[in-house]
Amino acid sequence: QVQLVESGGGLVQPGESLRLACAASGFPFSLYSMKWYRQAPGKQRELVARISSGGGSTDYADSVKGRFTISRDNGKNTVYLQMNNVNAEDTAVYYCNARVVERSIPRDYWGQGTQVTVSS
């Protein structure tokens, strides 16, 4: 079955960097685009970044553009989110997402999430 396992979260100070990873299994990873979302307390889950199946195309939320970089290693079935120059507004639980087509029906899969807390 499809599994997504995030790692790399933690407590960081404003201006520091952090790299999140999401290990995927149970589907042909290299054929699917991948996304990172985040959800802050009391707020809706929001799309942070997206990467195409081959890694050649990426998109970012305006709030993280220029600070975050999404990448992937199809040989390791892993997608990454490099977070630089973080600030308090980046505090959230970060989730990776894959929309996998099964029997012609697309279904969203989510990891368990990893907490990122930015605080001095």
Side-chain angles (χ1 to χ4, degrees):
Q1 71 276 23
V2 174
Q3 283 195 319
L4 301 171
V5 180
E6 300 99 337
S7 62
L11 174 64
V12 292
Q13 295 189 350
E16 292 186 339
S17 298
L18 201 63
R19 189 173 85 151
L20 308 182
C22 171
S25 61
F27 67 103
F29 179 79
S30 64
L31 300 184
Y32 286 89
S33 63
M34 296 293 296
K35 298 175 183 176
W36 281 99
Y37 284 77
R38 68 185 180 186
Q39 187 165 20
K43 294 187 177 181
Q44 288 190 328
R45 192 170 295 191
E46 65 169 345
L47 177 63
V48 175
R50 184 199 69 84
I51 188 166
S52 61
S53 57
S57 175
T58 57
D59 296 293
Y60 299 92
D62 287 343
S63 58
V64 307
K65 210 170 286 185
R67 300 187 298 121
F68 290 11
T69 302
I70 188 171
S71 62
R72 65 191 297 160
D73 185 335
N74 284 347
K76 295 182 178 179
N77 284 8
T78 301
V79 60
Y80 303 97
L81 186 68
Q82 177 67 42
M83 307 168 59
N84 295 332
N85 192 24
V86 298
N87 56 58
E89 287 67 44
D90 297 320
T91 295
V93 179
Y94 285 72
Y95 300 91
C96 79
N97 165 268
R99 179 166 289 180
V100 179
V101 177
E102 299 172 319
R103 298 184 180 90
S104 302
I105 300 173
R107 178 180 174 183
D108 278 313
Y109 287 91
W110 301 88
Q112 81 287 353
T114 186
Q115 175 71 47
V116 173
T117 302
V118 182
S119 176
S120 55

